[in-house]
Amino acid sequence: MLQDPLHELLDLAAVHKFYMQLLERNMGHPVPVPKEASAPDSAADKVEQSIVIMQRWLKLLDMAITSHMMRDELQQHDPGHETVEALLRHHIIKTSPIDVDRDKTDFLATWALRNPSPWSKRLGKSAYAGDSYSYVHSKEQAQSFEVDLKQIVGTEPQPLSEEHTQLLREFQYLQQEVDDFRHFDQLIDSGIMGRVKDLKHKFGVAFYHPSVLSLVAVYNAFFGKRFDDLFKDAATQIKAFANKVQQEGGSIMARVDGDVTVKHLADVQEGHILKQEYGRAQEHFHKVSKFKKAVDSRRSARIAGAPAPPAAAAAGAPASRGTTGIHSNVAAPPKVAALAEPIRNQALAIEDTKVRGVVESIRNFVRSNDGKTSPNIVPLRNGNLVLTPPELEAFKAEYPITEKSFRAELSNNLTFTVALHNRMQNEMEDYKAKRDSTHLWRQHAESLNHMISLAIRTVEESKAVIATAQQRGLDDKVKGLQFAQEKMRAQMQLVNQTLQS
């Protein structure tokens, strides 16, 4: 990737200034600087030599600056758009395979996403589409930020390889997983941070490609907001429990669970923890997770998962385990269905949004691969999805969102059924993997119960579509819908059996 020599020297000078400020803040005193680096010669016949000297000097400084130092500097001080753009160009052009350089670029790209440059078309637009995950919004956000990154770098990159394009799709499912977390200790115990780090490492130097950096930054921003929200909620619950114990006359040194005392809970300062340097903050995050579990273990009344779908019995749910389809050692409190109905409706709406996100993901793949080999084989999170000819045709169809017609209704019903079937399969595998844990299984059981409700609704809606198709003599459409219905019913039965086992 070539860059104008004078512009490159100016970028290196901006990077050098930022590095020196960072080091001096951490060390508490000025850092000796070679004359050639403090005042590089920009004369036409000296520029190339100055660039070589600055690159060597910055290579040394890079070894002194950790990625966590970069992260803390970006969080605690405003470096300015021009400096961040110079830093991004420096790292993207360098395309270092070293983990610490990749992590620095990761933090820089996320800062640039959250803080659009004055010239960016993203300026003034919301970075979030509500509190729940939206595939469509995340994709649009990544695409608009990719445009900014290309302008920052100044050149058009080579296309990504098929292998790296496939890896990019993992972020959609990771973002859905993050959206499913309801408690801070769930997030910490899931190991998702380590899995994401491993995924980023798999890209190698392709990590610096604008398509990758933009999607990674969008994921980071979503994860960061979710992490902060869950952390603050956990801290609030912990301190509320400690206050309640003291108000009831309990000792501040009383044990809550194991070696956790009420004093440990009362001393949690969430604002201070979030502002601490990275390494120290990580230690406190794990402590807060431990405290949250201690509080949960002492609660006498706990709502055990989501209420059952109204027609769960119609889907074949055995009565021996109760209508919730959740572990038998947890009993639902009296009148929970009536009390939780608004919450349940909100949860159903969230699940519906996630399914529609899968629809868009499959549709985008099918349309982009139209005319290529095997467009009906869609790579998804837990394997390949093989579409039948009617399903493939439905995903290829393009109708206006506002269209109210039989063809649009047929396409929407069939694509939603396929996506919901896939979501249920993935959620069931996640449930199986975590059902022996203390609490990680619960969110997946709740989601599965909500998806059964969606499946019942979808099957009922498809009956009307099938009836219309039969009246019009569209036998192939009828067979396609009936086949999808049969798969959905079988999946519903399998989910219920799994929740009962």
Side-chain angles (χ1 to χ4, degrees):
M1 189 180 296
L2 297 176
Q3 190 179 16
D4 176 74
L6 185 56
H7 286 167
E8 183 177 1
L9 184 59
L10 291 172
D11 276 352
L12 294 175
V15 172
H16 179 255
K17 181 180 178 181
F18 176 84
Y19 278 6
M20 295 307 297
Q21 290 174 342
L22 188 159
L23 287 170
E24 289 175 0
R25 284 196 185 101
N26 280 269
M27 296 174 69
H29 59 74
V31 177
V33 182
K35 178 183 176 181
E36 296 86 349
S38 60
D41 193 338
S42 59
D45 60 335
K46 299 290 186 180
V47 170
E48 296 290 350
Q49 182 182 352
S50 295
I51 288 174
V52 172
I53 293 172
M54 289 295 289
Q55 286 176 336
R56 290 175 179 174
W57 174 239
L58 289 177
K59 189 174 182 180
L60 178 63
L61 296 185
D62 260 324
M63 296 175 69
I65 297 173
T66 67
S67 56
H68 297 157
M69 289 168 65
M70 174 77 81
R71 171 189 177 273
D72 294 336
E73 181 72 12
L74 292 171
Q75 284 190 339
Q76 297 166 14
H77 304 92
D78 182 2
H81 295 99
E82 290 184 359
T83 298
V84 169
E85 289 172 17
L87 285 160
L88 273 171
R89 277 192 294 271
H90 172 65
H91 285 282
I92 291 173
I93 291 172
K94 188 168 66 169
T95 59
S96 168
I98 301 173
D99 286 351
V100 68
D101 286 333
R102 183 198 66 227
D103 292 343
K104 290 176 186 178
T105 312
D106 197 346
F107 295 138
L108 288 165
T110 305
W111 189 96
L113 172 76
R114 289 171 170 157
N115 302 274
S117 294
W119 48 262
S120 173
K121 292 181 179 179
R122 297 185 299 115
L123 198 65
K125 294 184 179 179
S126 172
Y128 305 100
D131 294 328
S132 60
Y133 167 68
S134 166
Y135 168 77
V136 174
H137 177 77
S138 293
K139 182 182 177 185
E140 291 174 351
Q141 193 180 11
Q143 288 174 337
S144 60
F145 183 47
E146 183 178 353
V147 172
D148 285 6
L149 286 174
K150 289 178 180 178
Q151 185 163 339
I152 288 170
V153 176
T155 58
E156 188 69 25
Q158 293 293 320
L160 272 179
S161 69
E162 182 62 29
E163 176 189 359
H164 294 134
T165 302
Q166 296 285 2
L167 282 177
L168 273 183
R169 295 193 178 98
E170 290 295 317
F171 283 102
Q172 175 191 348
Y173 306 111
L174 288 166
Q175 207 161 332
Q176 287 175 343
E177 184 177 349
V178 172
D179 190 43
D180 284 338
F181 293 132
R182 295 293 175 265
H183 305 286
F184 183 69
D185 44 327
Q186 289 178 340
L187 186 153
I188 293 295
D189 291 347
S190 70
I192 192 169
M193 288 181 282
R195 285 185 279 130
V196 170
K197 188 172 183 178
D198 290 341
L199 176 60
K200 292 175 180 178
H201 180 78
K202 289 179 181 177
F203 283 98
V205 295
F207 180 82
Y208 299 95
H209 194 286
S211 296
V212 179
L213 274 180
S214 59
L215 197 58
V216 166
V218 168
Y219 169 83
N220 289 344
F222 182 86
F223 177 86
K225 184 176 186 299
R226 190 70 174 152
F227 184 98
D228 288 354
D229 289 346
L230 292 177
F231 173 76
K232 291 173 183 176
D233 180 65
T236 300
Q237 291 187 44
I238 288 168
K239 294 171 77 171
F241 183 86
N243 290 336
K244 183 178 180 182
V245 170
Q246 294 177 79
Q247 289 171 3
E248 293 174 351
S251 169
I252 196 169
M253 298 308 296
R255 293 187 180 275
V256 179
D257 185 60
D259 60 348
V260 178
T261 66
V262 175
K263 187 176 187 307
H264 286 136
L265 308 184
D267 288 345
V268 170
Q269 299 179 27
E270 64 273 25
H272 176 67
I273 293 172
L274 288 172
K275 292 179 181 178
Q276 283 190 323
E277 62 89 17
Y278 184 82
R280 185 66 177 160
Q282 290 299 302
E283 179 183 342
H284 282 291
F285 290 148
H286 285 280
K287 283 185 178 179
V288 169
S289 176
K290 178 182 178 181
F291 296 164
K292 177 66 165 53
K293 291 176 184 175
V295 169
D296 286 346
S297 71
R298 288 291 300 272
R299 291 189 188 278
S300 56
R302 300 167 64 185
I303 295 177
S320 61
R321 285 282 299 278
T323 56
T324 57
I326 298 179
H327 288 258
S328 59
N329 62 335
V330 185
K335 300 181 182 179
V336 67
L339 292 172
E341 190 62 26
I343 298 174
R344 179 173 171 274
N345 289 338
Q346 183 182 20
L348 283 171
I350 291 172
E351 288 298 336
D352 185 279
T353 300
K354 290 179 182 178
V355 174
R356 296 189 188 282
V358 177
V359 170
E360 287 305 309
S361 179
I362 297 172
R363 177 174 284 134
N364 289 336
F365 177 86
V366 167
R367 289 177 182 173
S368 64
N369 281 343
D370 193 18
K372 298 180 181 179
T373 305
S374 303
N376 65 315
I377 301 178
V378 185
L380 292 175
R381 176 183 167 191
N382 290 338
N384 291 336
L385 169 66
V386 181
L387 300 173
T388 64
E391 292 168 353
L392 180 62
E393 183 182 345
F395 278 107
K396 283 183 179 180
E398 294 188 53
Y399 304 121
I401 298 176
T402 56
E403 180 170 333
K404 303 294 182 183
S405 65
F406 169 71
R407 65 174 189 170
E409 189 177 2
L410 185 150
S411 175
N412 292 337
N413 183 271
L414 189 51
T415 55
F416 190 89
T417 300
V418 172
L420 177 57
H421 182 274
N422 180 262
R423 276 276 298 147
M424 292 175 79
Q425 284 182 318
N426 291 339
E427 202 68 34
M428 190 169 67
E429 291 304 315
D430 290 340
Y431 170 80
K432 287 179 180 178
K434 298 174 183 176
R435 61 180 163 188
D436 292 330
S437 66
T438 305
H439 56 75
L440 292 179
W441 56 269
R442 181 171 284 117
Q443 61 172 323
H444 301 295
E446 291 173 358
S447 292
L448 286 169
N449 272 310
H450 296 316
M451 280 189 270
I452 287 177
S453 286
L454 290 180
I456 292 170
R457 184 196 72 187
T458 304
V459 168
E460 286 302 311
E461 290 173 349
S462 68
K463 289 179 181 177
V465 180
I466 289 174
T468 303
Q470 288 175 329
Q471 291 172 1
R472 298 186 179 187
L474 303 173
D475 294 340
D476 57 332
K477 307 294 185 186
V478 171
K479 290 179 182 177
L481 287 165
Q482 288 176 337
F483 181 73
Q485 263 198 353
E486 290 169 6
K487 284 200 301 183
M488 180 60 74
R489 288 195 182 96
Q491 187 64 39
M492 291 163 66
Q493 184 66 31
L494 190 57
V495 167
N496 275 302
Q497 290 172 355
T498 300
L499 290 174
Q500 311 310 314
S501 61

